[in-house]
Amino acid sequence: MAAPKSQVELDPEGAITDSGGSGFFHALHRESWHFFCSLKLTVVVIFLLAAGCVVGMFFDQTLTLEEHRAEWSSALWKLRLYEFLEFHDVFHSWWFGFVVLLLALNLTACSIERLPKIWIDIQNPIRTLTDQQLLGIRYMYRKTVSAAERDTVIDVVRAILKAKGRHRSEHTEGSSFFAFNERHRYARTGVYLVHIALLMIMFGSMATTYTGVDGMMMIVEGSGASDSVRVKGPGGFTYHHNLDFKIRCTDFRLKTFVDGSPMEFESDLEVYDPAALVNPVMKKTIQVNHPLEYKGYTFYQASYNPIPGDQLVQLDICKRATNEAELVELEQCKADARNIHTVAIGDRVQMPDGTAFVPVEIIRQYGGLGGAVRVQRISADGTITSFVVFRNYPKFDEKVRRGRYIVGFRGFDQQYATGVQVGRVPWINVVFAGFILMFLGMYMAFFMSQRRYWARLVERDDGSFDFVFAGAARRHQYAFEEEFSKVKETLSEVFGAEPSVKERAKALREQRQKEQAARAKAAKDQDKSGPVDD
């Protein structure tokens, strides 16, 4: 009678495992375990994660909880539902974390369910081909050979298996010969490497989310050092994170296009550490994509804000050249930083001969010519004249206006607060290692296939040998079928084609008939001999 399905399961290579057991608690445990190991759970969890990501894109995750409350305060029930499901911070919500945990349990259960059995099979494969194994093997070559061909069979098998890989073994049992070869023996572990990698990525990301720092610092240039970072934490709440060192901005520089829009900006930062013997311990100019790194923190140039107050302008004032020799002095004067005057609107720049220059108005955009400043010239006798100099045309005053001095407009000197984004991701190496491990596992899972070959040469009662060459692959069956067909062609060329199904069936019937005749003869002889007297 056939074994019940719940008790006997046939492995693709013919290994039979017992999965029996009865009782309510055993059934409950089995069903619960099957639930966490099921592919249906994986599909549902992945769908929920995708839905969570869509929800996270639909609701602005950059706003604070207070801003979201103000937006949804019109309907109380909507606000309560919104806060309960934490749509303002989906990726830190309780239900999103629960779904991630469910996926982690699913991956862990699947790995625990299958990996130990696979690992035992990898380390201890069945090297001797048995009739029981042949029940589950699809690809094989079978042929009856004579005793004179025994050594030839062994030499041909050794040559074939040597070309298939280095994991070979062989042994003899009397006149019988057995050989085994395995290729890509660890290929089946690729999917479990992907499982481990996903767990590393998930838990590394969650640990980074709850222990890392992602915030902003607004540091006024030229002011004191700061150690306070404004961080948006889980749930949309903001808090201040204090560094164990301080950051100071000594200077901020902004370059703009002709229309006044920002082209690039950078900050000169200094790091002051109370634990260091010499401060500042580090100086660096940060730009976009060129951050400063210290003690696991990374400081990125992110934004800037002008500081309200007196606006400064930079003017260079030099004597006009009247001959060739004075032209050289004029260029030297413009290059000399001592002749660049940084003054506020209304302040006076006094020259040695009593002439004074006073900037009176900043013009951000002068008729499409860019930034300009209106300057008053006050002569020694009190005469006042007014003129305009342009930032984008440094030779305008020299060529257009007449006078003893040439005035150039270098630009504005607005005081700014630099916006520095601060980040610390303590578990990022675990996440990166998870991605590397995932790519390795995917390569093993998709491009490698475990393949096994067996050879068996067993002596028959009539002195001939039953030769079987079999192979099995876990995946890529079409490629393996083509590979095994070439092996069969080689064996057929040497030993002849294997018997057809019809011929094998006929030989099996004849063998059974002989066995039945032998049993009948033995029974008849026993009847003739009669009972044995005591």
Side-chain angles (χ1 to χ4, degrees), residues 380-395:
D381 59 3
T383 304
I384 299 177
T385 58
S386 179
F387 58 94
V388 177
V389 289
F390 297 90
R391 179 183 179 183
N392 298 328
Y393 302 95
K395 291 186 176 295

Side-chain angles (χ1 to χ4, degrees), residues 132-412:
Q132 188 180 30
Q133 275 186 283
L134 289 175
L135 296 176
I137 294 180
R138 176 182 176 185
Y139 305 102
M140 70 177 69
Y141 170 86
R142 194 161 195 166
K143 181 74 175 178
T144 301
V145 297
S146 63
E149 295 178 301
R150 178 182 181 278
D151 293 338
T152 304
V153 170
I154 294 175
D155 292 338
V156 171
V157 168
R158 285 172 175 170
I160 292 175
L161 296 185
K162 183 178 180 181
K164 296 302 178 184
R166 60 184 180 85
H167 298 287
R168 306 188 308 275
S169 65
E170 60 181 59
H171 68 281
T172 58
E173 296 178 6
S175 60
S176 300
F177 172 79
F178 300 90
F180 173 77
N181 176 277
E182 187 174 24
R183 186 178 179 186
H184 296 161
R185 63 189 305 181
Y186 294 103
R188 280 191 289 168
T189 62
V191 64
Y192 302 102
L193 290 182
V194 174
H195 288 185
I196 296 172
L198 289 174
L199 291 174
M200 292 174 61
I201 293 171
M202 285 190 293
F203 286 109
S205 300
M206 292 176 66
T208 298
T209 299
Y210 287 98
T211 63
V213 174
D214 184 12
M216 287 289 296
M217 298 179 70
M218 297 301 297
I219 309 173
V220 179
E221 62 173 328
S223 64
S226 175
D227 63 351
S228 179
V229 183
R230 188 172 183 268
V231 180
K232 179 185 177 184
F237 295 98
T238 58
Y239 64 95
H240 287 275
H241 174 78
N242 292 324
L243 307 172
D244 57 354
F245 54 90
K246 293 186 176 183
I247 302 294
R248 182 174 183 268
C249 177
T250 58
D251 189 29
F252 176 84
R253 293 176 294 278
L254 171 66
K255 296 181 181 179
T256 62
F257 292 100
V258 176
D259 60 356
S261 59
M263 180 172 59
E264 63 179 30
F265 45 93
E266 59 186 18
S267 303
D268 294 335
L269 299 186
E270 295 179 345
V271 180
Y272 293 84
D273 194 338
L277 297 177
V278 179
N279 280 301
V281 296
M282 180 181 290
K283 294 181 180 181
K284 185 173 182 180
T285 299
I286 64 169
Q287 300 172 321
V288 178
N289 299 327
H290 295 279
L292 179 148
E293 296 181 1
Y294 185 72
K295 282 190 173 182
Y297 292 88
T298 305
F299 300 87
Y300 302 89
Q301 180 69 73
S303 62
Y304 64 91
N305 279 327
I307 301 298
D310 292 338
Q311 197 169 32
L312 306 179
V313 295
Q314 292 180 330
L315 302 177
D316 61 72
I317 304 175
C318 298
K319 291 181 62 175
R320 184 182 297 274
T322 57
N323 52 53
E324 293 294 332
E326 291 180 353
L327 283 175
V328 178
E329 295 179 1
L330 176 60
E331 296 301 325
Q332 293 176 350
C333 175
K334 291 181 178 181
D336 191 348
R338 293 174 297 180
N339 296 315
I340 300 176
H341 307 274
T342 302
V343 294
I345 298 298
D347 289 350
R348 179 187 294 251
V349 180
Q350 194 71 41
M351 307 308 295
D353 63 353
T355 304
F357 295 91
V358 181
V360 294
E361 181 187 2
I362 295 176
I363 307 171
R364 291 289 181 179
Q365 188 60 246
Y366 191 97
L369 299 177
V373 61
R374 189 180 305 278
V375 181
Q376 285 185 347
R377 174 185 174 277
I378 305 175
S379 61
D381 59 3
T383 304
I384 299 177
T385 58
S386 179
F387 58 94
V388 177
V389 289
F390 297 90
R391 179 183 179 183
N392 298 328
Y393 302 95
K395 291 186 176 295
F396 178 83
D397 189 64
E398 179 181 354
K399 294 182 177 180
V400 175
R401 190 179 63 84
R402 302 299 178 184
R404 185 177 181 183
Y405 294 96
I406 298 174
V407 180
F409 177 32
R410 292 296 184 98
F412 309 102

Side-chain angles (χ1 to χ4, degrees), residues 37 74 92 114 122 161 163 192 314 322 406 423 447 450 500:
C37 296
S74 57
H92 296 116
R114 300 175 178 87
I122 290 173
L161 296 185
Y192 302 102
Q314 292 180 330
T322 57
I406 298 174
F447 297 100
Q450 184 189 33
S500 63

